[in-house]
Every structure is written in structure tokens, then in C-alpha cells.
Amino acid sequence: MRAFAPGKVILLGEHAVVYGHPALAGALSCGVTVESEPGRGVLRVPSWGVEARASDPSALGRAYAAIVEAAGGALDVDLTARFDLPSGAGLGSSAALSVAIARVLGLDGKRLLDAAMAAENVFHGRASGIDHAVSAHGGFGLFTRADGLKPLRAAQPVPLVVGNSGRARDTQGRVARVAELAAQSPSETRARFDAIARLVERAAQAIAEARFGDLGAAMDENQRHLAALEVSCDEIEAMCSSARDAGAVGAKLTGGGGGGCVIALAPGREEAVRAAWTRAGWHSFVTTVGGAP
Ligand code: PMV
């Protein structure tokens, strides 16, 4: 048996989502494939160089145990997980792993979501839930803390270039800094969150109608707000400029910021953006977002 689950990107709305606003997220075309074969419950993750059992005290072992328990306990299979997206880059690889394991063990619907959430809580403490919800549903969605993921209609998947800034992303530190700004200048910060929420709405409309120019403009504006909220960094700004110079219609950080990944929307110019980033030493790949689950 074999099951696939996609990674995710936040297209717009990160950080504002912490304060109750919607974030627009989509499933990547790349993710995690888990294969099962007769065995005794061993989970192998070759690209992490580890294997685990559900009785192991490691994070992977405990996350795996949460899914195995939801699937009814004892296992007569071994699992091997293969990644075709980078880990630790804010692209939802751990959630994709959890969803793919849950799927190959026969879970679906709410039981799959609950099992993946339990595993994500092991990996990330109190996870927001966006990663595994997007991975399980596929497509695009608007995510709020209160209501979870609401699927979003899209005219077609969106092509994206995803590049790694080479600097570790700092979700915790940047979330803390935004909280300081919100305490120091509440009305200014609230106005930014409101502006970001309007951009999320505009981007959702643009995705519904495949208006990529408008989606790109919303991404650029969102990036300016993120920079003002002090969650960007020099590398991210340089990558965004380089992408725009190479023909991208929009570019921004994705996820926690302070480092991590940049996404560029450059329909038909993807390879030019990649080439510019490669010349400057940034690794990237081309993917589509929002395809079928
Ligand atoms: O860095 P990631 O992919 O875990 O995304 C963080 C997104 C934030 O909005 C900054 C935080 C959150 O919990 O939603």
C-alpha cells in the first residue's frame, strides 16, 4: 500500500492569522509518500536517517504512536516515508508525514484529521492546525483559528517558485516580536492586520478567477506589511527583489519569517527566477499549489 500527502504554503496572511484573521494557504504538488509492507510496526524515514517504533520516546516515536493508536493499535506492517520537499523549511513536511502515515493506515475524514493533529502537537507543541488541514484537504483554503480551514474555489492550480533564504526561519521569535509591536502600537498594528486581511480576500478572488497579476500585487503588498511588522530580513528582501527583476509578478516570504522560504509568482518566468536565485546561491524549486488532494 502507498499513500501521499502534500506539503503546504501560506500564500498570504501569516502572522495576522495569529490575531484571528484568515490566512490563505494551498497544498503543494510535492509532499510525502509512505509505503507499507508486511512487518512489525517499524517506521523508516531514510532522508532523516532514522527509524522509530510507536514505543520509542523520541518525538517521531510519540507522533507515530498517536497515529497508530487512532488506527486501532498493534501494527503488522512496516512503513517507509519518502520526502520530495525540504524538511524544516515551513512547508509542512511533518504534517504531510503525519497525514500520509494516517492514510496508509486506513484513516480518513475526522479520524485522519484528529490523528494528524495529535502527531503535529508532538512535533510542534500547540500547532495551529493549518499544516495538517491543508495537507489532508488539498487545494486552497482560508484558515482561521476559530473555524479551521474553509476550502476555496480556484480556477486552476497556481505555479510558484519556492526558494530557501538559507537563514533558519524564526517563527517563535517573529511571532513574539509582532506581539511586542501589537502591545506598543496597537492601532497601527491592528490597521496592518486589517490591511493584510483585505489582501487575503483580494487574493482569494484572484485565485478564483486565475488573475495572477492581481494575486502577485496582493503578495507584494502583503510582503511590505510583513517587513513593517519586522518579520522579514535582508536575505528575504534580496530574494524578493531578485525575483521581481527576473519577471515575477509577486514575491514574499511564507510562514514565520526571519528567514525560511520565499515564494515567487512568475507565470512563464519560473526558470528565469530560479536562475537568478541560483546565481546568488539560493536553492529553489518550481511547484504548483492548490491541485487536487
Ligand atoms: O513558519 P510556519 O510555516 O510554521 O508558519 C507560521 C505562521 C504564523 O502565522 C507566523 C504563526 C502561526 O501559528 O500561524
Side-chain angles (χ1 to χ4, degrees), residues 45-235:
V45 187
S47 57
W48 293 357
V50 293
E51 53 177 58
R53 289 168 190 278
S55 53
D56 290 355
S58 65
L60 182 62
R62 284 179 291 123
Y64 180 38
I67 304 170
V68 170
E69 194 188 322
L75 278 189
D76 55 3
V77 288
D78 288 343
L79 306 181
T80 304
R82 299 194 192 283
F83 289 71
D84 62 4
L85 83 174
S87 294
L91 301 177
S93 62
S94 68
L97 174 64
S98 301
V99 172
I101 293 172
R103 261 191 194 141
V104 88
L105 295 182
L107 293 173
D108 60 11
K110 186 172 178 324
R111 289 175 69 211
L112 180 144
L113 286 171
D114 289 346
M117 178 89 221
E120 277 288 275
N121 280 335
V122 174
F123 284 124
H124 292 301
R126 211 168 56 82
S128 75
I130 189 169
D131 289 20
H132 76 268
V134 174
S135 182
H137 286 283
F140 289 103
L142 286 174
F143 181 87
T144 57
R145 292 212 147 178
D147 298 329
L149 190 74
K150 291 237 158 71
L152 192 71
R153 195 175 52 82
Q156 62 181 79
V158 174
L160 276 189
V161 194
V162 181
N164 196 323
S165 68
R167 181 185 279 271
R169 89 186 188 291
D170 176 28
T171 300
Q172 238 186 333
R174 295 301 88 199
V175 168
R177 179 63 188 139
V178 173
E180 279 174 11
L181 291 173
Q184 280 161 18
S185 344
S187 55
E188 190 186 317
T189 311
R190 211 174 312 123
R192 280 204 193 282
F193 293 152
D194 289 341
I196 291 172
R198 285 194 295 274
L199 291 170
V200 165
E201 282 303 318
R202 182 172 149 195
Q205 275 294 321
I207 284 173
E209 294 159 16
R211 283 185 287 103
F212 290 156
D214 206 28
L215 175 59
M219 289 167 64
D220 280 349
E221 263 188 67
N222 192 166
Q223 175 60 26
R224 281 193 285 278
H225 289 297
L226 289 167
L229 290 168
E230 300 183 22
V231 303
S232 191
C233 66
D234 291 348
E235 289 87 344

Side-chain angles (χ1 to χ4, degrees), residues 8 10 14-15 17-18 90 128 145 169 171 175 255-256:
K8 72 94 186 36
I10 299 178
E14 51 275 272
H15 287 285
V17 71
V18 174
S128 75
R145 292 212 147 178
R169 89 186 188 291
T171 300
V175 168

